[in-house]
Short mmCIF file of all heavy atoms in Angstrom, two decimals:
data_model
loop_
_atom_site.label_atom_id
_atom_site.label_comp_id
_atom_site.label_asym_id
_atom_site.label_seq_id
_atom_site.Cartn_x
_atom_site.Cartn_y
_atom_site.Cartn_z
N MET A 50 0.84 -1.21 0.02
CA MET A 50 -0.03 0.02 0.00
C MET A 50 0.91 1.25 0.02
O MET A 50 1.67 1.47 0.92
CB MET A 50 -0.85 -0.03 1.28
CG MET A 50 -1.88 1.12 1.31
SD MET A 50 -2.98 0.91 2.72
CE MET A 50 -3.71 2.54 2.76
N PRO A 51 0.76 2.04 -1.04
CA PRO A 51 1.59 3.25 -1.12
C PRO A 51 1.25 4.26 -0.01
O PRO A 51 0.07 4.49 0.24
CB PRO A 51 1.24 3.81 -2.53
CG PRO A 51 -0.07 3.24 -2.88
CD PRO A 51 -0.20 1.91 -2.14
N ARG A 52 2.23 4.77 0.59
CA ARG A 52 2.04 5.69 1.70
C ARG A 52 1.52 7.03 1.24
O ARG A 52 0.66 7.62 1.78
CB ARG A 52 3.35 5.89 2.48
CG ARG A 52 3.67 4.64 3.26
CD ARG A 52 4.61 4.96 4.40
NE ARG A 52 3.97 5.86 5.33
CZ ARG A 52 4.41 6.08 6.53
NH1 ARG A 52 5.49 5.47 6.97
NH2 ARG A 52 3.83 6.92 7.34
N LYS A 53 2.11 7.57 0.15
CA LYS A 53 1.64 8.83 -0.33
C LYS A 53 1.14 8.68 -1.76
O LYS A 53 1.82 8.17 -2.63
CB LYS A 53 2.66 9.96 -0.21
CG LYS A 53 3.91 9.72 -1.00
CD LYS A 53 4.80 10.94 -0.87
CE LYS A 53 6.07 10.80 -1.68
NZ LYS A 53 6.95 11.95 -1.54
N ARG A 54 -0.10 9.05 -1.98
CA ARG A 54 -0.65 8.97 -3.32
C ARG A 54 -0.65 10.39 -3.87
O ARG A 54 -0.83 11.38 -3.17
CB ARG A 54 -2.08 8.46 -3.25
CG ARG A 54 -2.91 9.20 -2.23
CD ARG A 54 -4.26 8.69 -2.03
NE ARG A 54 -4.97 9.47 -1.03
CZ ARG A 54 -6.14 9.19 -0.52
NH1 ARG A 54 -6.78 8.11 -0.93
NH2 ARG A 54 -6.72 9.95 0.38
N PRO A 55 -0.39 10.50 -5.18
CA PRO A 55 -0.35 11.79 -5.79
C PRO A 55 -1.69 12.48 -5.71
O PRO A 55 -2.72 11.95 -6.04
CB PRO A 55 0.08 11.51 -7.26
CG PRO A 55 -0.20 10.08 -7.47
CD PRO A 55 -0.14 9.38 -6.15
N LEU A 56 -1.66 13.70 -5.28
CA LEU A 56 -2.88 14.52 -5.22
C LEU A 56 -3.11 15.13 -6.53
O LEU A 56 -2.25 15.71 -7.14
CB LEU A 56 -2.65 15.57 -4.12
CG LEU A 56 -3.79 16.57 -3.92
CD1 LEU A 56 -5.00 15.90 -3.25
CD2 LEU A 56 -3.33 17.72 -3.02
N LYS A 57 -4.35 15.04 -6.97
CA LYS A 57 -4.69 15.63 -8.27
C LYS A 57 -5.54 16.87 -8.08
O LYS A 57 -6.51 16.85 -7.37
CB LYS A 57 -5.47 14.62 -9.12
CG LYS A 57 -4.58 13.67 -9.91
CD LYS A 57 -5.45 12.93 -10.89
CE LYS A 57 -4.77 11.61 -11.34
NZ LYS A 57 -5.76 10.79 -12.08
N LEU A 58 -5.09 17.92 -8.70
CA LEU A 58 -5.88 19.16 -8.67
C LEU A 58 -6.05 19.62 -10.13
O LEU A 58 -5.38 19.12 -11.05
CB LEU A 58 -5.16 20.23 -7.88
CG LEU A 58 -5.15 20.08 -6.33
CD1 LEU A 58 -4.38 21.18 -5.72
CD2 LEU A 58 -6.58 20.05 -5.81
N ARG A 59 -6.84 20.65 -10.27
CA ARG A 59 -7.00 21.20 -11.61
C ARG A 59 -6.26 22.53 -11.73
O ARG A 59 -6.27 23.31 -10.78
CB ARG A 59 -8.47 21.40 -11.95
CG ARG A 59 -9.13 20.09 -12.25
CD ARG A 59 -10.58 20.29 -12.65
NE ARG A 59 -11.23 18.99 -12.77
CZ ARG A 59 -11.20 18.21 -13.85
NH1 ARG A 59 -10.56 18.66 -14.93
NH2 ARG A 59 -11.81 17.06 -13.88
N CYS A 60 -5.63 22.68 -12.86
CA CYS A 60 -4.93 23.93 -13.13
C CYS A 60 -5.94 25.09 -13.03
O CYS A 60 -6.99 25.06 -13.69
CB CYS A 60 -4.33 23.90 -14.50
SG CYS A 60 -3.64 25.49 -15.04
N PRO A 61 -5.67 26.11 -12.20
CA PRO A 61 -6.62 27.23 -12.08
C PRO A 61 -6.78 28.00 -13.33
O PRO A 61 -7.73 28.80 -13.47
CB PRO A 61 -6.01 28.06 -10.97
CG PRO A 61 -4.58 27.70 -10.90
CD PRO A 61 -4.45 26.31 -11.40
N ILE A 62 -5.88 27.88 -14.29
CA ILE A 62 -5.98 28.65 -15.52
C ILE A 62 -6.73 27.90 -16.60
O ILE A 62 -7.69 28.42 -17.15
CB ILE A 62 -4.55 28.98 -16.04
CG1 ILE A 62 -3.75 29.71 -14.97
CG2 ILE A 62 -4.60 29.80 -17.36
CD1 ILE A 62 -4.39 30.99 -14.47
N CYS A 63 -6.35 26.67 -16.91
CA CYS A 63 -6.98 25.96 -18.00
C CYS A 63 -7.80 24.72 -17.56
O CYS A 63 -8.36 24.05 -18.37
CB CYS A 63 -5.95 25.55 -19.03
SG CYS A 63 -4.84 24.26 -18.39
N LYS A 64 -7.85 24.51 -16.23
CA LYS A 64 -8.69 23.44 -15.66
C LYS A 64 -8.20 22.06 -16.03
O LYS A 64 -8.91 21.09 -15.87
CB LYS A 64 -10.16 23.60 -16.05
CG LYS A 64 -10.72 24.97 -15.84
CD LYS A 64 -10.59 25.41 -14.39
CE LYS A 64 -11.20 26.78 -14.19
NZ LYS A 64 -10.85 27.34 -12.92
N LYS A 65 -6.99 21.95 -16.52
CA LYS A 65 -6.44 20.63 -16.79
C LYS A 65 -6.00 19.97 -15.49
O LYS A 65 -5.58 20.67 -14.58
CB LYS A 65 -5.23 20.83 -17.73
CG LYS A 65 -4.69 19.55 -18.31
CD LYS A 65 -3.56 19.90 -19.26
CE LYS A 65 -2.50 18.82 -19.25
NZ LYS A 65 -1.31 19.16 -20.03
N VAL A 66 -6.13 18.63 -15.42
CA VAL A 66 -5.77 17.96 -14.19
C VAL A 66 -4.24 18.01 -13.99
O VAL A 66 -3.50 17.71 -14.90
CB VAL A 66 -6.25 16.51 -14.21
CG1 VAL A 66 -5.70 15.75 -13.05
CG2 VAL A 66 -7.77 16.50 -14.19
N VAL A 67 -3.83 18.43 -12.81
CA VAL A 67 -2.41 18.52 -12.49
C VAL A 67 -2.12 17.65 -11.24
O VAL A 67 -2.90 17.68 -10.32
CB VAL A 67 -1.97 19.97 -12.22
CG1 VAL A 67 -0.49 20.08 -12.16
CG2 VAL A 67 -2.53 20.86 -13.26
N LYS A 68 -1.05 16.90 -11.25
CA LYS A 68 -0.63 16.17 -10.08
C LYS A 68 0.33 16.98 -9.23
O LYS A 68 1.06 17.83 -9.76
CB LYS A 68 0.06 14.87 -10.50
CG LYS A 68 -0.97 13.81 -10.92
CD LYS A 68 -0.24 12.57 -11.39
CE LYS A 68 0.30 12.76 -12.84
NZ LYS A 68 0.91 11.56 -13.36
N ASN A 69 0.26 16.78 -7.94
CA ASN A 69 1.14 17.59 -7.08
C ASN A 69 2.61 17.18 -7.21
O ASN A 69 3.44 17.78 -6.58
CB ASN A 69 0.68 17.49 -5.61
CG ASN A 69 0.89 16.15 -5.01
OD1 ASN A 69 1.06 15.17 -5.78
ND2 ASN A 69 0.85 16.04 -3.76
N THR A 70 2.86 16.23 -8.01
CA THR A 70 4.26 15.82 -8.28
C THR A 70 4.80 16.57 -9.49
O THR A 70 6.01 16.54 -9.76
CB THR A 70 4.33 14.32 -8.55
OG1 THR A 70 3.37 13.97 -9.51
CG2 THR A 70 4.07 13.55 -7.27
N ASP A 71 3.93 17.28 -10.15
CA ASP A 71 4.38 18.01 -11.36
C ASP A 71 5.22 19.22 -10.93
O ASP A 71 4.94 19.87 -9.94
CB ASP A 71 3.15 18.53 -12.16
CG ASP A 71 2.54 17.42 -12.98
OD1 ASP A 71 3.02 16.28 -12.86
OD2 ASP A 71 1.56 17.68 -13.73
N PRO A 72 6.25 19.51 -11.71
CA PRO A 72 7.16 20.63 -11.32
C PRO A 72 6.49 21.98 -11.31
O PRO A 72 6.89 22.87 -10.60
CB PRO A 72 8.26 20.56 -12.39
CG PRO A 72 7.69 19.81 -13.55
CD PRO A 72 6.69 18.84 -12.95
N GLU A 73 5.45 22.15 -12.11
CA GLU A 73 4.77 23.44 -12.20
C GLU A 73 3.51 23.49 -11.32
O GLU A 73 2.76 24.47 -11.36
CB GLU A 73 4.43 23.77 -13.64
CG GLU A 73 5.59 23.82 -14.60
CD GLU A 73 6.58 24.89 -14.23
OE1 GLU A 73 6.19 25.87 -13.57
OE2 GLU A 73 7.76 24.77 -14.60
N PHE A 74 3.28 22.43 -10.53
CA PHE A 74 2.11 22.39 -9.66
C PHE A 74 2.00 23.70 -8.86
O PHE A 74 3.01 24.19 -8.35
CB PHE A 74 2.28 21.19 -8.72
CG PHE A 74 1.12 21.05 -7.74
CD1 PHE A 74 -0.03 20.36 -8.19
CD2 PHE A 74 1.16 21.57 -6.47
CE1 PHE A 74 -1.10 20.20 -7.29
CE2 PHE A 74 0.08 21.41 -5.63
CZ PHE A 74 -1.02 20.77 -6.00
N PRO A 75 0.86 24.28 -8.68
CA PRO A 75 -0.48 23.78 -9.10
C PRO A 75 -0.88 24.10 -10.52
O PRO A 75 -2.03 23.93 -10.85
CB PRO A 75 -1.40 24.48 -8.09
CG PRO A 75 -0.75 25.80 -7.88
CD PRO A 75 0.71 25.56 -7.96
N PHE A 76 0.06 24.55 -11.32
CA PHE A 76 -0.29 24.82 -12.68
C PHE A 76 0.18 23.67 -13.52
O PHE A 76 1.07 22.90 -13.17
CB PHE A 76 0.41 26.14 -13.14
CG PHE A 76 0.05 27.30 -12.26
CD1 PHE A 76 0.96 27.75 -11.31
CD2 PHE A 76 -1.13 27.89 -12.36
CE1 PHE A 76 0.64 28.80 -10.47
CE2 PHE A 76 -1.48 28.95 -11.55
CZ PHE A 76 -0.60 29.43 -10.57
N CYS A 77 -0.43 23.52 -14.69
CA CYS A 77 -0.11 22.37 -15.55
C CYS A 77 1.17 22.67 -16.33
O CYS A 77 1.82 21.72 -16.80
CB CYS A 77 -1.27 22.13 -16.51
SG CYS A 77 -1.47 23.38 -17.75
N SER A 78 1.54 23.88 -16.51
CA SER A 78 2.69 24.23 -17.29
C SER A 78 3.20 25.61 -16.89
O SER A 78 2.52 26.36 -16.23
CB SER A 78 2.30 24.25 -18.78
OG SER A 78 1.34 25.25 -19.00
N GLU A 79 4.39 25.90 -17.36
CA GLU A 79 5.00 27.22 -17.09
C GLU A 79 4.13 28.32 -17.72
O GLU A 79 4.02 29.42 -17.20
CB GLU A 79 6.40 27.27 -17.66
CG GLU A 79 7.21 28.47 -17.11
CD GLU A 79 8.57 28.60 -17.75
OE1 GLU A 79 9.04 27.60 -18.38
OE2 GLU A 79 9.11 29.66 -17.72
N ARG A 80 3.50 27.96 -18.82
CA ARG A 80 2.66 28.98 -19.53
C ARG A 80 1.52 29.40 -18.61
O ARG A 80 1.28 30.58 -18.47
CB ARG A 80 2.15 28.34 -20.80
CG ARG A 80 1.44 29.30 -21.69
CD ARG A 80 1.01 28.66 -22.99
NE ARG A 80 -0.27 29.20 -23.47
CZ ARG A 80 -1.44 28.73 -23.15
NH1 ARG A 80 -1.53 27.64 -22.41
NH2 ARG A 80 -2.55 29.27 -23.60
N CYS A 81 0.86 28.44 -18.02
CA CYS A 81 -0.29 28.77 -17.14
C CYS A 81 0.20 29.52 -15.92
O CYS A 81 -0.48 30.42 -15.44
CB CYS A 81 -1.05 27.54 -16.77
SG CYS A 81 -2.09 26.94 -18.12
N ARG A 82 1.35 29.19 -15.42
CA ARG A 82 1.91 29.87 -14.29
C ARG A 82 2.12 31.34 -14.60
O ARG A 82 1.85 32.27 -13.83
CB ARG A 82 3.25 29.23 -13.83
CG ARG A 82 3.85 29.88 -12.61
CD ARG A 82 5.28 29.55 -12.50
NE ARG A 82 5.49 28.16 -12.13
CZ ARG A 82 5.51 27.69 -10.88
NH1 ARG A 82 5.31 28.49 -9.92
NH2 ARG A 82 5.70 26.40 -10.66
N THR A 83 2.66 31.57 -15.80
CA THR A 83 2.97 32.95 -16.28
C THR A 83 1.60 33.71 -16.43
O THR A 83 1.52 34.87 -16.08
CB THR A 83 3.69 32.93 -17.61
OG1 THR A 83 4.87 32.11 -17.44
CG2 THR A 83 4.09 34.29 -18.03
N ILE A 84 0.59 33.06 -16.94
CA ILE A 84 -0.70 33.68 -17.10
C ILE A 84 -1.24 34.08 -15.77
O ILE A 84 -1.75 35.18 -15.58
CB ILE A 84 -1.68 32.74 -17.83
CG1 ILE A 84 -1.24 32.56 -19.25
CG2 ILE A 84 -3.12 33.26 -17.75
CD1 ILE A 84 -2.03 31.44 -19.99
N ASP A 85 -1.08 33.22 -14.74
CA ASP A 85 -1.58 33.53 -13.42
C ASP A 85 -0.84 34.73 -12.85
O ASP A 85 -1.44 35.62 -12.25
CB ASP A 85 -1.39 32.32 -12.52
CG ASP A 85 -2.08 32.51 -11.23
OD1 ASP A 85 -3.32 32.47 -11.23
OD2 ASP A 85 -1.39 32.69 -10.21
N LEU A 86 0.49 34.75 -13.03
CA LEU A 86 1.25 35.88 -12.55
C LEU A 86 0.80 37.18 -13.22
O LEU A 86 0.69 38.22 -12.59
CB LEU A 86 2.74 35.65 -12.86
CG LEU A 86 3.45 34.75 -11.85
CD1 LEU A 86 4.87 34.46 -12.38
CD2 LEU A 86 3.52 35.35 -10.50
N GLY A 87 0.49 37.07 -14.52
CA GLY A 87 0.00 38.26 -15.23
C GLY A 87 -1.31 38.74 -14.67
O GLY A 87 -1.56 39.95 -14.64
N LYS A 88 -2.18 37.81 -14.24
CA LYS A 88 -3.44 38.23 -13.68
C LYS A 88 -3.22 39.05 -12.40
O LYS A 88 -3.89 40.06 -12.17
CB LYS A 88 -4.27 36.97 -13.30
CG LYS A 88 -5.02 36.42 -14.49
CD LYS A 88 -6.06 35.45 -13.99
CE LYS A 88 -6.86 34.83 -15.13
NZ LYS A 88 -7.89 33.91 -14.60
N TRP A 89 -2.30 38.55 -11.55
CA TRP A 89 -2.00 39.30 -10.33
C TRP A 89 -1.46 40.68 -10.66
O TRP A 89 -1.85 41.68 -10.07
CB TRP A 89 -0.97 38.54 -9.47
CG TRP A 89 -1.57 37.45 -8.70
CD1 TRP A 89 -1.56 36.12 -9.04
CD2 TRP A 89 -2.26 37.51 -7.47
NE1 TRP A 89 -2.19 35.40 -8.06
CE2 TRP A 89 -2.65 36.22 -7.10
CE3 TRP A 89 -2.62 38.58 -6.65
CZ2 TRP A 89 -3.34 35.98 -5.94
CZ3 TRP A 89 -3.30 38.32 -5.47
CH2 TRP A 89 -3.67 37.03 -5.15
N ALA A 90 -0.56 40.71 -11.64
CA ALA A 90 0.06 42.01 -12.00
C ALA A 90 -0.91 43.00 -12.57
O ALA A 90 -0.83 44.18 -12.29
CB ALA A 90 1.20 41.73 -12.99
N SER A 91 -1.90 42.52 -13.28
CA SER A 91 -2.84 43.41 -13.91
C SER A 91 -4.00 43.79 -12.96
O SER A 91 -4.86 44.57 -13.30
CB SER A 91 -3.41 42.82 -15.19
OG SER A 91 -4.18 41.69 -14.86
N GLY A 92 -3.98 43.14 -11.78
CA GLY A 92 -4.99 43.51 -10.81
C GLY A 92 -6.29 42.78 -10.96
O GLY A 92 -7.30 43.12 -10.40
N ALA A 93 -6.30 41.65 -11.75
CA ALA A 93 -7.54 40.95 -11.99
C ALA A 93 -8.02 40.28 -10.73
O ALA A 93 -9.23 40.02 -10.59
CB ALA A 93 -7.28 39.88 -13.06
N TYR A 94 -7.15 39.99 -9.78
CA TYR A 94 -7.55 39.30 -8.57
C TYR A 94 -7.82 40.28 -7.41
O TYR A 94 -8.21 39.91 -6.36
CB TYR A 94 -6.46 38.32 -8.11
CG TYR A 94 -6.40 37.07 -8.93
CD1 TYR A 94 -5.31 36.21 -8.80
CD2 TYR A 94 -7.40 36.73 -9.80
CE1 TYR A 94 -5.24 35.04 -9.52
CE2 TYR A 94 -7.36 35.55 -10.57
CZ TYR A 94 -6.27 34.76 -10.42
OH TYR A 94 -6.18 33.58 -11.11
N VAL A 95 -7.58 41.54 -7.64
CA VAL A 95 -7.76 42.53 -6.59
C VAL A 95 -9.23 42.81 -6.37
O VAL A 95 -9.95 43.17 -7.31
CB VAL A 95 -6.99 43.85 -6.93
CG1 VAL A 95 -7.25 44.92 -5.85
CG2 VAL A 95 -5.49 43.56 -7.04
N ILE A 96 -9.68 42.67 -5.16
CA ILE A 96 -11.05 42.99 -4.84
C ILE A 96 -11.17 44.49 -4.72
O ILE A 96 -10.36 45.16 -4.09
CB ILE A 96 -11.46 42.31 -3.53
CG1 ILE A 96 -11.36 40.79 -3.67
CG2 ILE A 96 -12.91 42.72 -3.15
CD1 ILE A 96 -11.31 40.05 -2.37
N SER A 97 -12.19 45.03 -5.32
CA SER A 97 -12.37 46.50 -5.34
C SER A 97 -12.43 47.03 -3.91
O SER A 97 -13.19 46.51 -3.10
CB SER A 97 -13.61 46.90 -6.11
OG SER A 97 -14.74 46.27 -5.54
N SER A 98 -11.65 48.02 -3.63
CA SER A 98 -11.56 48.57 -2.27
C SER A 98 -12.67 49.59 -2.10
O SER A 98 -13.12 50.22 -3.06
CB SER A 98 -10.21 49.23 -2.05
OG SER A 98 -9.97 50.12 -3.12
N PRO A 99 -13.16 49.76 -0.88
CA PRO A 99 -14.23 50.71 -0.60
C PRO A 99 -13.75 52.13 -0.79
O PRO A 99 -13.00 52.64 0.01
CB PRO A 99 -14.66 50.41 0.84
CG PRO A 99 -13.48 49.77 1.47
CD PRO A 99 -12.75 49.07 0.36
N VAL A 100 -14.17 52.77 -1.86
CA VAL A 100 -13.73 54.13 -2.13
C VAL A 100 -14.90 55.11 -1.94
O VAL A 100 -14.77 56.30 -2.17
CB VAL A 100 -13.20 54.29 -3.59
CG1 VAL A 100 -11.87 53.59 -3.74
CG2 VAL A 100 -14.18 53.79 -4.58
N THR A 101 -16.04 54.61 -1.47
CA THR A 101 -17.23 55.44 -1.37
C THR A 101 -17.33 56.14 -0.03
O THR A 101 -18.18 56.92 0.22
CB THR A 101 -18.50 54.62 -1.58
OG1 THR A 101 -18.47 53.51 -0.66
CG2 THR A 101 -18.61 54.10 -3.01
N ASP A 102 -16.38 55.84 0.89
CA ASP A 102 -16.43 56.39 2.21
C ASP A 102 -16.45 57.92 2.21
O ASP A 102 -17.26 58.55 2.85
CB ASP A 102 -15.20 55.94 3.03
CG ASP A 102 -15.51 54.66 3.80
OD1 ASP A 102 -16.69 54.19 3.68
OD2 ASP A 102 -14.63 54.16 4.49
N ALA A 103 -15.55 58.51 1.41
CA ALA A 103 -15.48 59.97 1.35
C ALA A 103 -16.81 60.51 0.77
O ALA A 103 -17.33 61.49 1.22
CB ALA A 103 -14.29 60.40 0.52
N ASP A 104 -17.29 59.88 -0.27
CA ASP A 104 -18.55 60.34 -0.89
C ASP A 104 -19.67 60.32 0.10
O ASP A 104 -20.48 61.26 0.16
CB ASP A 104 -18.91 59.39 -2.03
CG ASP A 104 -18.10 59.73 -3.32
OD1 ASP A 104 -17.39 60.76 -3.25
OD2 ASP A 104 -18.15 58.98 -4.27
N GLU A 105 -19.78 59.27 0.92
CA GLU A 105 -20.90 59.20 1.89
C GLU A 105 -20.86 60.37 2.85
O GLU A 105 -21.88 60.96 3.11
CB GLU A 105 -20.79 57.88 2.69
CG GLU A 105 -21.04 56.65 1.79
CD GLU A 105 -22.47 56.57 1.35
OE1 GLU A 105 -23.39 57.05 2.08
OE2 GLU A 105 -22.75 56.02 0.23
N SER A 106 -19.68 60.68 3.41
CA SER A 106 -19.60 61.76 4.42
C SER A 106 -19.97 63.10 3.79
O SER A 106 -20.61 63.94 4.43
CB SER A 106 -18.25 61.79 5.05
OG SER A 106 -17.24 61.95 4.08
N ILE A 107 -19.56 63.30 2.53
CA ILE A 107 -19.88 64.57 1.87
C ILE A 107 -21.42 64.67 1.69
O ILE A 107 -22.00 65.71 1.94
CB ILE A 107 -19.17 64.62 0.50
CG1 ILE A 107 -17.70 64.85 0.70
CG2 ILE A 107 -19.77 65.75 -0.34
CD1 ILE A 107 -16.85 64.60 -0.55
N ARG A 108 -22.04 63.56 1.32
CA ARG A 108 -23.47 63.60 1.12
C ARG A 108 -24.21 63.85 2.45
O ARG A 108 -25.23 64.55 2.50
CB ARG A 108 -23.93 62.28 0.53
CG ARG A 108 -25.03 62.44 -0.51
CD ARG A 108 -25.39 61.13 -1.19
NE ARG A 108 -24.30 60.58 -1.91
CZ ARG A 108 -24.05 59.24 -2.07
NH1 ARG A 108 -24.84 58.39 -1.48
NH2 ARG A 108 -23.04 58.81 -2.75
N ASP A 109 -23.71 63.27 3.56
CA ASP A 109 -24.35 63.45 4.85
C ASP A 109 -24.36 64.92 5.29
O ASP A 109 -25.27 65.38 5.91
CB ASP A 109 -23.62 62.61 5.92
CG ASP A 109 -24.09 61.17 5.87
OD1 ASP A 109 -25.03 60.88 5.08
OD2 ASP A 109 -23.50 60.31 6.60
N ASN A 110 -23.24 65.63 4.93
CA ASN A 110 -23.13 67.00 5.37
C ASN A 110 -23.82 68.01 4.41
O ASN A 110 -23.77 69.17 4.64
CB ASN A 110 -21.62 67.36 5.50
CG ASN A 110 -20.98 66.55 6.62
OD1 ASN A 110 -21.66 66.15 7.53
ND2 ASN A 110 -19.67 66.34 6.48
N ASN A 111 -24.43 67.45 3.40
CA ASN A 111 -25.09 68.33 2.44
C ASN A 111 -26.44 68.77 2.96
O ASN A 111 -27.35 67.96 3.13
CB ASN A 111 -25.24 67.61 1.11
CG ASN A 111 -25.58 68.54 -0.03
OD1 ASN A 111 -26.10 69.61 0.21
ND2 ASN A 111 -25.38 68.08 -1.27
N PRO A 112 -26.67 70.05 3.22
CA PRO A 112 -27.94 70.52 3.76
C PRO A 112 -29.07 70.36 2.78
O PRO A 112 -30.23 70.31 3.23
CB PRO A 112 -27.68 71.99 4.09
CG PRO A 112 -26.51 72.41 3.26
CD PRO A 112 -25.68 71.13 3.05
N GLU A 113 -28.80 70.32 1.51
CA GLU A 113 -29.88 70.18 0.54
C GLU A 113 -30.58 68.84 0.65
O GLU A 113 -31.71 68.69 0.15
CB GLU A 113 -29.31 70.34 -0.88
CG GLU A 113 -28.98 71.82 -1.19
CD GLU A 113 -28.37 71.96 -2.58
OE1 GLU A 113 -28.48 71.02 -3.42
OE2 GLU A 113 -27.86 73.02 -2.83
N ASP A 114 -29.93 67.88 1.30
CA ASP A 114 -30.54 66.58 1.48
C ASP A 114 -31.82 66.66 2.23
O ASP A 114 -32.85 66.08 1.93
CB ASP A 114 -29.54 65.61 2.16
CG ASP A 114 -29.14 64.50 1.26
OD1 ASP A 114 -29.66 64.40 0.14
OD2 ASP A 114 -28.30 63.68 1.67
N SER A 115 -31.84 67.41 3.33
CA SER A 115 -33.02 67.48 4.18
C SER A 115 -34.13 68.26 3.50
O SER A 115 -35.28 68.05 3.75
CB SER A 115 -32.66 68.13 5.52
OG SER A 115 -31.95 69.32 5.33
N GLU A 116 -33.77 69.17 2.60
CA GLU A 116 -34.80 69.95 1.91
C GLU A 116 -35.60 69.09 0.94
O GLU A 116 -36.80 69.35 0.73
CB GLU A 116 -34.11 71.08 1.09
CG GLU A 116 -33.94 72.34 1.94
CD GLU A 116 -33.36 73.47 1.08
OE1 GLU A 116 -33.47 73.38 -0.14
OE2 GLU A 116 -32.89 74.43 1.70
N SER A 117 -35.00 68.04 0.42
CA SER A 117 -35.70 67.21 -0.50
C SER A 117 -36.82 66.39 0.17
O SER A 117 -37.74 65.92 -0.47
CB SER A 117 -34.73 66.25 -1.25
OG SER A 117 -34.13 65.40 -0.29
N LYS A 118 -36.70 66.26 1.50
CA LYS A 118 -37.79 65.59 2.21
C LYS A 118 -38.98 66.51 2.40
O LYS A 118 -38.79 67.70 2.75
CB LYS A 118 -37.28 65.18 3.62
CG LYS A 118 -36.45 63.90 3.58
CD LYS A 118 -36.29 63.38 5.00
CE LYS A 118 -34.95 62.71 5.19
NZ LYS A 118 -34.65 62.59 6.63
N SER A 119 -40.15 66.05 2.24
CA SER A 119 -41.31 66.95 2.39
C SER A 119 -41.92 66.88 3.76
O SER A 119 -41.79 65.90 4.45
CB SER A 119 -42.40 66.56 1.36
OG SER A 119 -42.68 65.25 1.41
ZN1 LIG B 1632 -3.02 25.04 -17.25
#
């Protein structure tokens, strides 16, 4: 009985099955690894940061807001 069995995952880029024994794991190839790096560099994985904070406080201090209520 083999003590360690190869873990199979899918390449996050092209969804091809990759074994954890592969040199480029978790990617199937150097090409997919490069694509993944490019995604990070271009900000594709960056979650949009809350930039509306300043806008909200400006709106709260606007006196015209209360006038619109009848
Ligand atoms: Zn791939």
Side-chain angles (χ1 to χ4, degrees):
M50 184 173 166
R52 287 201 64 163
K53 62 175 182 182
R54 50 185 179 187
L56 177 70
K57 274 191 201 167
L58 286 178
R59 284 183 188 276
C60 171
I62 304 302
C63 68
K64 311 300 181 193
K65 192 177 145 185
V66 172
V67 190
K68 282 178 282 185
N69 68 342
T70 50
D71 283 4
E73 301 297 336
F74 181 85
F76 305 102
C77 69
S78 64
E79 193 186 341
R80 188 176 146 267
C81 282
R82 183 197 290 274
T83 306
I84 290 170
D85 189 71
L86 281 173
K88 277 194 180 182
W89 281 100
S91 66
Y94 285 169
V95 176
I96 299 161
S97 58
S98 52
V100 290
T101 55
D102 269 359
D104 280 351
E105 292 291 330
S106 56
I107 288 166
R108 218 176 296 147
D109 278 354
N110 294 334
N111 193 340
E113 284 179 13
D114 244 356
S115 48
E116 271 185 18
S117 62
K118 280 194 214 164
S119 53

